[in-house]
Amino acid sequence: MEKYRICGGKPLVGTVDISGAKNAVLPILAAVVLTKEVCCIENIPNISDVSLSLDILSSLGAKIRRLDSHTLEIDPSHLVTHVVPHDLSQHMRASYYYLGSLLGRFGVARSSLPGGCNFGVRPIDLHLKGFRALGAEVPDLPDNGMIEVKANGELVGNSVYLDQVSVGATVNIMLAAVRAKGLTVIENAAKEPHIVDLANFLNSMGADVRGAGTDVIKIRGVDYLRGANYSIIPDQIEAGTYMAAAVATRGNVLVRGVIPKHLESITAKLEEMGATVEELEDEDAIRVSCDKPLRHCTVKTMPHPGFPTDMQPQIAVLLALAEGTSFLTENIWDNRFKYLSELRRMGADVTVNGNTAVFQGVAQLKGAPVRANDLRAGAAMVIAGLSAKGVTIVDDICYIERGYEDIVEKLQALGADIERIYVAPSTAQAM
Ligand code: EPZ
């Protein structure tokens, strides 16, 4: 099995180019089925979640042609089914976006109920509440692990209040509502940059979506959506991950191809801890450096524009290395601290009290064999390994490669001593 081998203690220095945003491209690929015309999507990151979404598109009957390493032409004119295959949808929660877009295309959609993940229960009650509000029939219970949503006639616009800010529910309701009859209003909507990106893509297809990026999104249904050419926004979480790695290794890194405004909450926290972050507006780039001890601070994850929960494990590594006592509160997920047991194996001094982790900073972490609990926890293990003294072996790297394009190559270009190694299963336990 493949692992990462990291020899830590080297400052990251150089330039890293940020790829397209995973959490923007997944809704946009699902949205392609809303039209019968060809779409050309640029700046698609080469990550396994995208590969899986493309497999779903192919299984539905879409034809996909690669124009270059990050550009695809997708022809959804001859879809053959409204059913997302279980063997594909079970591997990625975001496959449930096809419920909204297939409901919008065909008036019926069927997919497997998404499983949980490594940081707690992840219900979809708000997604289903939205579909019901638009007039779709939604069963109370799944049948054989699958869920089918069906419009009686056509979907009709309605107001939907999201009891909790939910990116997925906001996306799914947008995807179903763009073809519904009349006006849909989503209240308490998610405001993440990827919500705005989806709205921009839908509007480029001829939809009428207003207010994305605020907590009230208004969608006036249209009869027809045309094909569109679109370029995905840069990944704010990938950028934030490299920013945190630059600070953890006391390096100096130019993070290129970003939208600085999307990084404001991350920049603010890194500066509060003593890093220097310089926004080079004309270059769509930011330079992150840190050459002094990190200051303790308090971090609370919140929906955008607050500090993103998807940066929680990454910033935890910095808090573990900051002088004094730091507090990290997770307000989005009910159990997103599992990775801390791995960080403790590297010498972190941290205790968890409810949804708050309390860190007593240590001078340096020590390399150790660790595993990736999930995508962002895995990224945090890489950051910890890059900063630690000695060798760190990261297992379960498949999680990391779901959302980070060419992470080994990008880090090597920054001077990191990291390599992908193959460990035969028999010896894996011994490592
Ligand atoms: C998206 O997940 C992201 N995934 C997650 O990123 C991210 O952590 C999350 O948004 C929050 O920003 C993708 O975009 C593919 P939510 P999602 O619905 O949509 C509760 C990553 O690392 N909730 O905003 O599943 C839920 O339990 C991934 O890239 C309900 O109660 O998250 C959570 O507490 C990890 N009922 C909160 O809302 C629902 O129907 C926010 O969840 C839906 C959600």
Side-chain angles (χ1 to χ4, degrees):
M1 59 190 73
E2 287 199 311
K3 302 174 187 250
Y4 294 152
R5 184 184 185 282
I6 302 167
C7 185
K10 298 172 179 60
L12 296 186
V13 178
T15 298
V16 62
D17 289 317
I18 297 305
S19 304
K22 170 178 86 79
N23 293 347
V25 70
L26 294 177
I28 286 170
L29 289 177
V32 166
V33 307
L34 286 162
T35 178
K36 292 180 180 168
E37 298 182 11
V38 172
C39 293
C40 183
I41 313 292
E42 298 172 3
N43 202 31
I44 295 178
N46 291 311
I47 54 178
S48 57
D49 271 7
V50 164
S51 306
L52 201 142
S53 190
L54 295 174
D55 290 345
I56 291 174
L57 275 171
S58 301
S59 74
L60 295 172
K63 298 288 177 266
I64 300 170
R65 193 158 71 93
R66 179 167 290 281
L67 303 184
D68 69 33
S69 60
H70 294 95
T71 306
L72 293 174
E73 184 184 79
I74 303 169
D75 177 358
S77 55
H78 294 88
L79 297 188
V80 297
T81 177
H82 66 274
V83 181
V84 181
H86 173 69
D87 64 324
L88 293 176
S89 57
Q90 66 174 331
H91 293 303
M92 182 179 69
R93 289 180 51 78
S95 49
Y96 55 34
Y97 290 152
Y98 286 96
L99 281 175
S101 59
L102 289 167
L103 182 61
R105 167 87 176 250
F106 292 123
V108 63
R110 185 181 172 86
S111 180
S112 63
L113 204 57
C117 68
N118 290 334
F119 45 85
V121 178
R122 293 182 71 177
I124 63 164
D125 57 306
L126 297 175
H127 301 235
L128 304 182
K129 173 183 178 181
F131 295 148
R132 287 192 182 99
L134 298 178
E137 218 176 82
V138 179
D140 289 332
L141 292 171
D143 68 318
N144 195 24
M146 299 291 279
I147 190 149
E148 182 157 296
V149 291
K150 191 176 174 57
N152 296 317
E154 62 182 343
L155 295 176
V156 179
N158 200 345
S159 284
V160 188
Y161 174 78
L162 294 182
D163 311 60
Q164 181 158 6
V165 175
S166 161
V167 168
T170 302
V171 165
N172 245 334
I173 296 165
M174 288 167 73
L175 292 172
V178 287
R179 297 290 304 278
K181 187 173 177 55
L183 179 66
T184 296
V185 181
I186 306 173
E187 294 180 287
N188 200 24
K191 300 184 273 191
E192 274 70 6
H194 27 291
I195 298 290
V196 177
D197 214 28
L198 173 63
N200 291 339
F201 175 63
L202 291 169
N203 286 336
S204 71
M205 298 167 85
D208 181 355
V209 182
R210 301 161 197 255
T214 74
D215 54 4
V216 179
I217 299 177
K218 294 185 178 177
I219 302 144
R220 194 166 291 284
V222 293
D223 295 333
Y224 186 78
L225 290 172
R226 55 181 181 268
N229 295 345
Y230 197 76
S231 183
I232 305 294
I233 54 169
D235 193 315
Q236 72 177 138
I237 304 302
E238 184 197 18
T241 302
Y242 285 102
M243 292 164 73
V247 174
T249 59
R250 302 291 187 280
N252 187 318
V253 174
L254 182 68
V255 184
R256 205 162 50 180
V258 296
I259 299 171
K261 178 151 183 55
H262 291 170
L263 303 170
E264 279 177 347
S265 62
I266 300 167
T267 296
K269 273 303 157 189
L270 296 181
E271 288 178 327
E272 193 180 327
M273 296 186 74
T276 303
V277 183
E278 188 193 351
E279 292 185 10
L280 314 175
E281 288 290 344
D282 52 334
E283 286 178 41
D284 292 347
I286 49 167
R287 178 172 294 282
V288 184
S289 61
C290 186
D291 54 9
K292 51 183 179 262
L294 292 177
R295 290 195 294 267
H296 62 84
C297 80
T298 295
V299 181
K300 293 183 169 67
T301 67
M302 297 299 283
H304 192 77
F307 189 86
T309 176
D310 291 347
M311 277 296 299
Q312 188 254 78
Q314 299 93 308
I315 199 93
V317 178
L318 302 187
L319 300 180
L321 292 166
E323 291 175 336
T325 304
S326 293
F327 299 87
L328 175 58
T329 300
E330 172 57 54
N331 290 311
I332 308 295
W333 298 107
D334 58 15
N335 183 6
R336 196 170 194 171
F337 284 136
K338 278 186 186 169
Y339 67 91
L340 290 176
S341 54
E342 300 297 305
L343 214 50
R344 286 191 194 97
R345 292 163 50 79
M346 299 180 72
D349 178 352
V350 55
T351 54
V352 176
N353 182 358
N355 67 339
T356 295
V358 184
F359 295 82
Q360 302 301 336
V362 296
Q364 189 168 38
L365 296 172
K366 301 255 179 318
V370 292
R371 61 180 55 253
N373 283 106
D374 61 65
L375 165 59
R376 307 303 176 184
M381 294 303 115
V382 171
I383 294 172
L386 292 169
S387 77
K389 180 176 172 48
V391 174
T392 297
I393 303 289
V394 183
D395 200 351
D396 294 335
I397 61 171
C398 58
Y399 284 112
I400 301 171
E401 305 203 336
R402 294 184 57 169
Y404 288 94
E405 179 180 24
D406 297 337
I407 185 169
V408 170
E409 293 73 16
K410 289 187 179 186
L411 287 171
Q412 286 171 342
L414 291 170
D417 181 349
I418 179 174
E419 59 180 337
R420 193 178 273 116
I421 58 173
Y422 179 78
V423 178
S426 55
T427 56
Q429 278 66 30
M431 292 201 81

